[in-house]
């Protein structure tokens, strides 16, 4: 058969390796030629994982360890069955247009994955199944284009004015109004020239959809909203009969002219320029009128039919997973300086020329929304215009997926700053070093340089400054910088502790393997584990621990990066530590794998051992002696030296009295003598060298048999050996000590406890000195090399509005997690005086809480709400989308608190 070189060519059935290479090539070609309109397909994550396991698919470096671990398993993975996407859809028969009805809140990587259409076709060719769930790539963004895949299309409720019947339409939010007309007319077999479609949000006719080239997103149509269909009959529209489209008589209501002639960003200019209370801007006698009072976006009546007059107590409609946006907005529109600013005339400060801004459109949209929320007589507002602006300028928040309220807050604060930046032409300023100058002088210079380029209301009230100190671990070079910050992202120090079990082996054959269980911080690193383990096993000053992860009787990886997070270790992993000389990195290391020769397959068994050769040891005899030494604790009773049975643990550390162990007290012979004694036993019993040692490479391929007379001339840093176990070795050594090691978390470990932490402990964790991550290496100007420096942060100056983000979400190579830890934060009198390092600061460092963005539930979606305080009333309210209700101050501190907003007490 002649094979084609094109991607996907394969004589069926393909081998797992062939399938893997074909799919990899198809993915590579797709990614290299990505463009708008390309089709990707949803595929069940469960099935996709089974297939990747079957073929040994290694998507990227992050997951390569997992894939490698799977390939090491001796039993070949099972070929998956048919592709089954049924778990992703509600009803395969319920199909509107090109879209199947998906289940709600599906998460990429957990419920589904996305593969290029060509990959989907190839998988179906091999495995059959379905159904096919295609989705197109969209190009989004105003300045720079980003690609995204619209998993959940726009869902609209079409109300037919002729009989008030309802139909569901699913269509891309990037489709045009003209496309919507085509879909509706094709569905109902209507003439497009005799059809009108209205924006019918909340069943109120607000605007006719007539701009055929406008996208549905630009037309501010949102998920699950209504649209109204009117059909011309005998040349007449429903309004021609004096009826509205729902059959009701039309009332002629005069339109009240606007009471304000100001611009969209305008506002009444007050004679005194400022006011300490918001009520003065909103009193009945004030001429203020919001520039956007679209009736479509407002609910004026409570469910009981009563009017409301609570200014600042207006809810926000959920437009389809927009609770994250509503929570963030409520916190910002209840920030006193922002309210005062946007209720006045800020038009002169809008910067429409800033290339980093949004031509002032974000600031205008935010100001309009704030004014609407602070006007009287409203219970809830649909922030559709604001959502449209957000989708235009921040495509990462477009669509109807759940997002992070803190990420949105960061974008809004930065975007408002750039739109309101008073600096029209930013000067170029070259960064300078401190060069030994006092911190106060250098910090003020850095702040002045920052303000020369960034000067806005947001900088005035929301930005502070911290001191960052980097220290080179090699030459001890110190680098100090002073940088601005908009908010503080505080880690949650682990009140969640974790018990971890590690089995310690003696590298010099003086003790039996012993498991130790230590308690460490769940958010700790390997250094914390090593320190706890060293104390538990009474490590000597001349010893060091080498920790490895063991998988399938082989060393899977060496854990020598002291700053690698412990979160990467799963409870079912197996960790082993070897007690070696403290200078083991300078010695030749021997890694011993155990292999059974009783069967043809020569399966691996037990736990690998590690020991070191002394300086000058380079012969096969030296290797045999070292191996026999490390095996000494495993000698069975009949092979023991006469004195071993008398030895017990005398130093209070290590194995308990009922476990026989060799210790390193002076009553024992040294390693050389002990190894010689063992050799005497072996040669007496067998008349020849007893151990069958075979060198192997990293691939596990056997090589040279190690005899006494072999010599290693090349400077080999490590030697990997197979130790062949026959019946004879089992009679001499007790291999049970190498088997059945406890996992990191075993049944004997109690479940971890989760205790409250204080906001101050979070701040301490944020400000503590710690090493940079491997991906954040610092270039040391003295060494002229990248170094893993240590970093220390200190607060230098604090803003009037202090935004504190509690980092509840954590991610690692195995899982995503949300910390539900209760953080005990002050509502009154948050005193940060001791944390501010700027000497002689006259500003107050005392703060009062006024708003909270809350997140409930897990990473799979959850729900956001907000608590905010009306300063004039000195009363707290709960803003849960369109629902607003009073709440007691004693109820606002919960484990759902995600972003805290504080204002300085003057």
């Amino acid at each position: 058969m002649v094979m084609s070189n094109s991607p996907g060519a394969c004589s069926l059935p393909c081998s797992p390796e062939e399938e893997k290479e074909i799919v990899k090539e198809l993915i590579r070609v797709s990614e290299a030629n990505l463009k708008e309109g390309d089709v990707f397909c949803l595929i069940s994550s469960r099935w996709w994982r089974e297939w990747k396991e079957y073929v040994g698919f290694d998507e990227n470096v992050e997951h390569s360890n997992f894939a490698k671990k799977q390939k090491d398993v001796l039993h070949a993975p099972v070929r998956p069955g048919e592709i089954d996407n049924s778990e992703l859809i509600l009803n395969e028969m319920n199909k509107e247009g090109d879209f199947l009805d998906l289940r709600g809140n599906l998460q990429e990587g957990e419920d589904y994955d996305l593969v290029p259409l060509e990959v989907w076709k190839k998988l179906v060719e091999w495995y059959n199944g379905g159904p096919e769930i295609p989705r197109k790539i969209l190009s989004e963004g105003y300045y720079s284009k980003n690609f995204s895949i619209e998993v959940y299309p726009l869902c609209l409720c079409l109300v037919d004015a002729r009989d008030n019947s309802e139909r569901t339409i699913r269509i891309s939010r990037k489709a045009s109004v003209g496309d919507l007309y085509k879909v509706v007319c094709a569905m109902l077999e209507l003439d497009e020239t005799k059809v009108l479609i209205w924006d019918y949000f909340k069943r109120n006719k607000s605007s006719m959809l007539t701009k055929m080239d406008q996208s549905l997103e630009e037309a501010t149509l949102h998920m699950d909203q209504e649209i109204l269909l009117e059909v011309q009959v005998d040349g007449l529209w429903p309004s021609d009969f004096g009826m509205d489209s729902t059959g009701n008589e039309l009332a002629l209501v005069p339109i009240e002219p606007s009471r304000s002639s100001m611009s969209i960003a305008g506002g009444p200019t007050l004679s005194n320029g400022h006011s300490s209370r918001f009520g003065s801007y909103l009193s009945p006698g004030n001429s203020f009128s919001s520039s956007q009072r679209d009736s479509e976006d407002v609910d004026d009546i409570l469910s009981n039919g009563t009017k409301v007059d609570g200014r600042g107590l207006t809810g926000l409609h959920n437009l389809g997973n927009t609770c994250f946006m509503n929570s963030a907005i409520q916190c910002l529109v209840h920030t006193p300086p922002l309210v005062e600013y946007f209720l006045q005339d800020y038009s002169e400060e809008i910067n429409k020329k800033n290339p980093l801004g949004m031509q002032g459109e974000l600031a205008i949209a935010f100001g309009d929304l704030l004014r609407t929320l602070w006007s009287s007589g409203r219970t809830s507002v649909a922030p559709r215009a604001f959502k449209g602006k957000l989708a235009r300028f921040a495509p990462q928040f477009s669509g109807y997926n759940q997002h992070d309220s803190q990420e949105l807050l960061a974008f809004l604060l930065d975007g408002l700053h750039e739109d309101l930046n008073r600096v029209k032409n930013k000067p170029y300023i070259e960064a300078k070093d401190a060069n030994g100058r006092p911190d106060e002088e250098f910090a003020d210079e850095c702040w002045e340089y920052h303000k020369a380029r960034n000067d806005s209301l947001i900088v005035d009230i929301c930005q502070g400054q911290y001191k960052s100190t980097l220290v080179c671990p090699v030459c001890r070079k110190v680098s100090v910088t002073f940088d601005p910050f908009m908010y503080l992202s505080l880690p949650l120090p682990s009140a969640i502790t974790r018990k971890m079990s590690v089995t310690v082996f003696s590298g010099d054959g003086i003790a039996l393997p012993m498991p130790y269980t230590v308690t460490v911080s769940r958010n700790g690193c390997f250094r914390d584990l090593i320190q706890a383990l060293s104390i538990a096993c009474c490590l000597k000053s001349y010893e060091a621990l080498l920790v490895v992860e063991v998988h399938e009787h082989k060393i899977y990886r060496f854990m020598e990066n002291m700053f690698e997070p412990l979160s990467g270790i799963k409870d079912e992993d197996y960790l082993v530590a070897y007690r070696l000389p403290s200078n083991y990195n300078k010695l030749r290391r021997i890694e011993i794998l155990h292999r059974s020769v009783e069967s043809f397959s020569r399966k691996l068994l037990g736990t690998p051992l590690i020991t070191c050769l002394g300086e000058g040891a380079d012969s096969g005899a030296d290797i045999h002696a070292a191996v026999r030494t490390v095996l000494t604790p495993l000698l069975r009773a009949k092979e023991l030296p006469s004195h071993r049975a008398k030895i017990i643990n005398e130093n209070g550390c290590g194995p308990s009295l009922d476990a026989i162990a060799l210790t390193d007290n002076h009553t024992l012979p040294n390693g050389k003598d002990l190894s010689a004694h063992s050799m005497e036993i072996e040669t007496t019993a067998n008349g020849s060298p007893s151990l069958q040692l075979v060198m192997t490479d990293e691939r596990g391929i056997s090589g040279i048999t190690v005899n006494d007379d072999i010599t290693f001339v090349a400077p080999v840093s490590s030697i990997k050996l197979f130790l062949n176990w026959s019946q004879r070795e089992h009679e001499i050594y007790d291999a049970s000590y190498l088997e059945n090691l406890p996992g990191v978390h075993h049944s004997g470990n109690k479940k971890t406890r989760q205790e409250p932490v204080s906001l101050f402990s979070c701040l301490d964790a944020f400000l503590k000195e710690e090493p940079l991550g491997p991906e954040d290496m610092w270039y040391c100007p003295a060494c002229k090399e990248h170094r893993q420096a240590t970093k220390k942060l200190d607060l230098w100056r604090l803003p009037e509005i202090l935004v504190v983000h509690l980092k509840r979400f954590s991610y690692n190579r195995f899982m995503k997690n949300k910390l539900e830890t209760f953080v005990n934060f002050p509502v009154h009198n948050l005193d940060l005086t001791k944390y501010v390092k700027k000497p002689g600061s006259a500003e107050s460092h005392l703060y009062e809480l006024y708003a909270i963005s809350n997140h409930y539930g897990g990473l799979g979606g959850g729900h956001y709400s907000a608590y905010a305080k009306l300063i004039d009333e000195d009363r707290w309210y709960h803003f849960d989308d369109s629902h607003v209700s009073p709440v007691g101050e004693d109820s606002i501190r919960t484990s759902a608190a995600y972003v805290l907003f504080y204002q300085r007490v003057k």
Side-chain angles (χ1 to χ4, degrees):
M1 176 182 291
V2 177
M3 297 291 293
S4 168
N5 291 326
S6 63
C10 174
S11 57
L12 296 178
C14 295
S15 69
E17 184 66 24
E18 288 173 323
E19 288 187 17
K20 178 183 71 174
E21 292 306 318
I22 289 171
V23 169
K24 273 190 171 183
E25 178 62 14
L26 290 173
I27 291 175
R28 187 196 66 77
V29 171
S30 173
E31 291 178 346
N33 301 282
L34 211 59
K35 62 184 181 299
E36 186 172 12
D38 284 355
V39 176
F40 276 65
C41 292
L42 276 72
I43 190 168
S44 162
S45 288
R46 178 191 53 77
W47 190 94
W48 183 239
R49 282 192 296 267
E50 289 178 3
W51 179 82
K52 289 194 295 182
E53 193 171 314
Y54 167 63
V55 301
F57 193 83
D58 179 8
E59 282 184 288
N60 49 45
V61 174
E62 181 181 353
H63 294 99
S64 61
N65 288 338
F66 176 79
K68 181 176 183 293
K69 192 178 273 192
Q70 295 305 311
K71 288 192 288 186
D72 285 344
V73 178
L74 295 174
H75 303 289
V78 179
R79 190 175 193 269
E82 284 191 353
I83 301 171
D84 183 10
N85 277 347
S86 61
E87 59 197 21
L88 304 181
I89 59 177
L90 290 174
N91 186 348
E92 191 169 350
M93 301 303 295
N94 186 14
K95 184 174 181 179
E96 301 292 344
D98 297 328
F99 299 103
L100 285 169
D101 195 2
L102 293 181
R103 295 184 184 276
N105 295 320
L106 296 176
Q107 297 297 306
E108 184 177 359
E110 296 180 13
D111 303 302
Y112 70 88
D113 284 273
L114 291 161
V115 297
L117 178 60
E118 294 305 316
V119 171
W120 169 262
K121 290 180 178 178
K122 186 58 62 177
L123 292 172
V124 170
E125 177 185 326
W126 293 331
Y127 294 92
N128 297 320
E132 182 176 303
I133 310 174
R135 294 293 187 265
K136 289 183 179 180
I137 287 184
L138 304 181
S139 178
E140 302 187 281
Y142 184 72
Y143 294 112
S144 59
K145 295 297 183 182
N146 298 312
F147 289 136
S148 67
I149 297 176
E150 186 180 35
V151 174
Y152 286 96
L154 181 62
C155 182
L156 300 172
C157 176
L158 176 69
V159 180
D160 192 332
R162 294 173 296 179
D163 57 6
N164 279 334
S165 62
E166 297 182 0
R167 292 173 178 84
T168 299
I169 292 179
R170 288 182 174 81
I171 186 171
S172 172
R173 55 190 162 85
K174 290 296 184 180
S176 67
V177 170
D179 294 331
L180 177 63
Y181 272 84
K182 287 183 174 66
V183 169
V184 170
C185 292
M187 177 190 298
L188 300 177
E189 299 180 348
L190 297 172
D191 183 350
E192 284 188 43
T193 62
K194 297 181 178 181
V195 165
L196 283 178
I197 300 178
W198 292 76
D199 182 346
Y200 199 44
F201 184 77
K202 305 293 287 184
R203 293 188 176 267
N204 290 315
K205 287 176 69 173
S206 57
S207 60
M208 191 185 301
L209 301 177
T210 57
K211 296 180 180 178
M212 296 301 170
D213 293 334
Q214 188 179 40
S215 74
L216 300 182
E217 188 171 54
E218 291 170 339
T220 67
L221 296 185
H222 288 284
M223 185 68 78
D224 297 325
Q225 81 156 76
E226 297 89 351
I227 54 175
L228 180 68
L229 170 68
E230 290 186 342
V231 180
Q232 188 181 47
V233 179
D234 297 329
L236 297 174
W237 299 99
S239 58
D240 295 331
F241 295 101
M243 306 285 288
D244 70 11
S245 56
T246 59
N248 297 318
E249 293 186 6
L250 292 170
L252 299 178
V253 180
I255 300 176
E256 180 183 357
S258 171
R259 290 173 291 169
S260 173
S261 59
M262 59 188 117
S263 67
I264 193 169
T269 304
L270 303 185
S271 57
N272 60 2
H274 296 280
S275 172
S276 60
R277 299 172 68 84
F278 311 139
S280 59
Y281 305 129
L282 302 165
S283 59
N286 196 310
S287 63
F288 166 75
S289 176
S290 173
S291 58
Q292 263 200 331
R293 298 181 62 98
D294 300 328
S295 60
E296 68 190 23
D297 286 354
V298 179
D299 283 347
D300 288 342
I301 309 296
L302 285 172
S303 58
N304 61 7
T306 60
K307 276 280 192 178
V308 296
D309 195 33
R311 293 180 287 270
L313 296 178
T314 305
L316 290 165
H317 287 299
N318 192 318
L319 304 176
N321 275 334
T322 57
C323 58
F324 78 97
M325 181 182 77
N326 295 345
S327 173
I329 289 174
Q330 292 291 7
C331 291
L332 290 181
V333 301
H334 287 87
T335 298
L338 291 181
V339 178
E340 183 174 339
Y341 180 88
F342 281 101
L343 290 183
Q344 297 186 79
D345 185 355
Y346 60 95
S347 56
E348 292 187 1
E349 293 208 331
I350 293 178
N351 188 338
K352 296 185 177 181
K353 306 260 186 207
N354 187 355
L356 300 178
M358 282 140 270
Q359 285 77 56
E361 291 186 40
L362 182 67
I364 292 171
F366 178 80
D368 288 338
L369 181 58
L370 182 145
R371 291 178 172 211
T372 302
L373 294 175
W374 276 90
S375 59
S376 62
R378 309 283 177 80
T379 62
S380 59
V381 168
R384 300 198 295 162
F386 184 80
K387 176 73 165 61
K389 294 293 183 186
L390 195 62
R392 182 184 178 199
F393 293 112
Q396 65 270 32
F397 300 115
S398 62
Y400 307 101
N401 293 329
Q402 184 69 278
H403 295 284
D404 189 318
S405 69
Q406 186 272 331
E407 292 178 2
L408 175 62
L409 281 164
F411 167 79
L412 289 178
L413 288 173
D414 187 62
L416 289 174
H417 155 64
E418 296 295 355
D419 269 6
L420 299 172
N421 198 346
R422 304 176 186 112
V423 180
K424 300 301 190 282
N425 297 298
K426 295 187 177 184
Y428 171 75
I429 300 175
E430 185 176 354
K432 296 181 180 179
D433 293 329
N435 292 326
R437 287 181 288 166
D439 282 350
E440 298 93 312
E441 178 185 337
F442 186 46
D444 288 344
E445 179 183 276
C446 291
W447 187 250
E448 289 171 6
Y449 287 170
H450 174 66
K451 290 276 293 202
R453 294 173 55 85
N454 302 277
D455 185 16
S456 70
L457 167 75
I458 304 301
V459 174
D460 294 343
I461 66 172
C462 293
Q463 287 197 352
Q465 187 182 35
Y466 61 75
K467 174 185 177 182
S468 175
T469 305
L470 292 172
V471 180
C472 176
V474 178
C475 71
R476 310 308 295 174
K477 163 73 176 175
V478 177
S479 172
V480 175
T481 57
F482 289 88
D483 302 302
F485 67 84
M486 192 89 76
Y487 51 86
L488 299 178
S489 283
L490 305 186
L492 272 60
S494 198
I496 306 173
T497 57
R498 181 183 185 187
K499 290 185 180 295
M500 301 182 71
S501 294
V502 182
T503 304
V504 177
F505 283 77
S506 169
D508 54 6
I510 61 173
L512 284 167
M514 182 67 185
Y516 292 89
T517 298
V518 295
T519 300
V520 293
S521 166
R522 185 177 291 274
N523 292 337
C525 58
F526 279 116
R527 179 177 59 182
D528 302 319
L529 176 61
I530 295 294
Q531 289 175 348
L533 200 58
S534 299
I535 295 171
C537 72
C538 297
L539 195 72
K540 302 297 187 295
S541 60
Y542 51 83
E543 292 179 311
L545 290 176
L546 174 62
V547 181
V548 304
E549 181 181 346
V550 173
H551 179 70
E552 292 295 325
H553 311 291
K554 292 188 290 187
I555 292 178
Y556 169 55
R557 60 172 176 147
F558 290 90
M559 298 176 168
E560 297 181 285
N561 178 5
M562 291 295 102
F563 303 112
E564 183 175 345
L566 294 174
S567 57
I569 303 176
K570 296 189 292 184
D571 285 346
E572 58 268 29
D573 289 340
Y574 293 91
L575 297 187
V576 171
Y578 302 98
R579 298 178 73 139
L580 300 174
S582 57
N583 65 338
Y584 71 86
N585 281 323
K586 299 179 181 179
L587 301 176
R588 184 172 288 167
R589 197 162 65 197
I590 301 177
E591 179 183 334
I592 307 161
L593 302 179
H594 308 282
R595 183 171 66 175
S596 173
V597 293
E598 295 297 316
S599 63
F600 176 76
S601 62
R602 295 200 168 194
K603 293 182 178 180
L604 295 177
L605 56 87
T607 305
L609 297 175
I610 290 180
T611 188
C612 294
L613 290 176
E615 294 182 5
D618 57 5
S619 68
D622 294 324
I623 292 176
H624 273 272
V627 173
R628 282 193 291 270
T629 297
V630 80
L631 289 173
T632 298
L634 309 184
L635 285 170
R636 294 187 180 275
K638 63 180 181 179
E639 305 290 354
L640 284 175
S642 60
H643 59 270
R644 176 177 171 184
K646 300 176 183 178
I647 306 254
I648 60 173
N649 182 15
E650 297 177 355
N651 60 7
C653 268
S656 58
L657 295 179
D658 59 351
I660 299 176
L662 294 177
T663 64
D664 57 350
N665 60 51
H666 297 294
T667 64
L668 291 180
N670 59 31
K672 184 175 180 181
D673 293 336
L674 187 57
S675 123
H677 186 88
S678 300
M679 188 187 303
E680 181 182 348
I681 294 174
E682 302 298 334
T683 55
T684 300
N686 301 285
S688 63
S690 63
L691 300 178
Q692 302 175 43
L693 302 177
V694 181
M695 292 186 64
T696 181
D697 59 16
E698 291 301 321
R699 296 169 296 173
I701 299 176
S702 299
I704 304 170
T705 299
V706 179
N707 297 318
D708 285 355
D709 55 355
I710 191 173
T711 302
F712 296 90
V713 179
V716 182
S717 60
S718 63
I719 301 170
K720 197 171 184 179
L721 303 172
F722 280 131
L723 169 57
N724 291 335
W725 284 74
S726 65
Q727 184 63 33
R728 179 170 55 86
E729 278 73 28
H730 281 289
E731 291 175 354
I732 298 172
Y733 299 103
D734 186 352
S736 65
Y737 290 108
L738 303 175
E739 301 282 0
N740 302 320
L741 302 185
V744 168
H745 177 88
H746 58 89
S747 58
N749 290 348
K750 295 181 179 179
K751 290 186 178 180
T752 57
R753 293 184 302 117
Q754 187 169 319
E755 298 176 353
V757 298
S758 72
L759 185 63
F760 296 107
S761 61
C762 296
L763 193 56
D764 291 335
F766 173 70
L767 298 175
K768 75 175 182 180
E769 183 178 16
E770 60 182 2
L772 296 175
E775 68 281 359
D776 298 321
M777 300 287 277
W778 171 64
Y779 182 78
C780 176
C783 297
K784 308 293 186 189
E785 289 188 29
H786 286 89
R787 302 291 190 192
Q788 193 170 13
T790 58
K791 183 176 183 178
K792 174 73 172 71
L793 293 177
D794 291 297
L795 300 180
W796 190 259
R797 72 176 78 218
L798 295 177
E800 178 185 350
I801 300 298
L802 181 65
V803 181
V804 179
H805 165 224
L806 302 176
K807 296 173 71 173
R808 292 194 175 277
F809 301 111
S810 62
Y811 307 87
N812 60 54
R813 64 187 175 113
F814 294 115
M815 67 185 72
K816 297 181 288 186
N817 184 42
K818 182 192 174 187
L819 299 175
E820 299 284 357
T821 308
F822 175 77
V823 177
N824 190 2
F825 50 88
V827 176
H828 304 286
N829 300 322
L830 170 64
D831 190 354
L832 299 177
T833 303
K834 71 173 184 178
Y835 293 100
V836 180
K837 301 304 179 183
K838 181 181 180 180
S841 175
E843 292 180 328
S844 166
H845 300 138
L846 209 61
Y847 287 85
E848 292 277 311
L849 186 73
Y850 70 87
I852 307 170
S853 175
N854 300 305
H855 181 269
Y856 304 90
L859 286 171
H863 180 65
Y864 286 92
S865 73
Y867 292 129
K869 183 179 182 179
L870 260 62
I871 307 298
D872 288 350
E873 294 184 12
D874 192 26
R875 189 175 185 183
W876 285 87
Y877 289 87
H878 185 207
F879 294 83
D880 188 2
D881 287 334
S882 58
H883 182 68
V884 181
S885 58
V887 62
E889 187 177 285
D890 56 349
S891 301
I892 64 173
R893 285 193 288 193
T894 70
S895 59
Y898 183 43
V899 186
L900 309 175
F901 291 76
Y902 284 93
Q903 183 176 22
R904 174 184 285 130
V905 177
K906 297 181 180 179

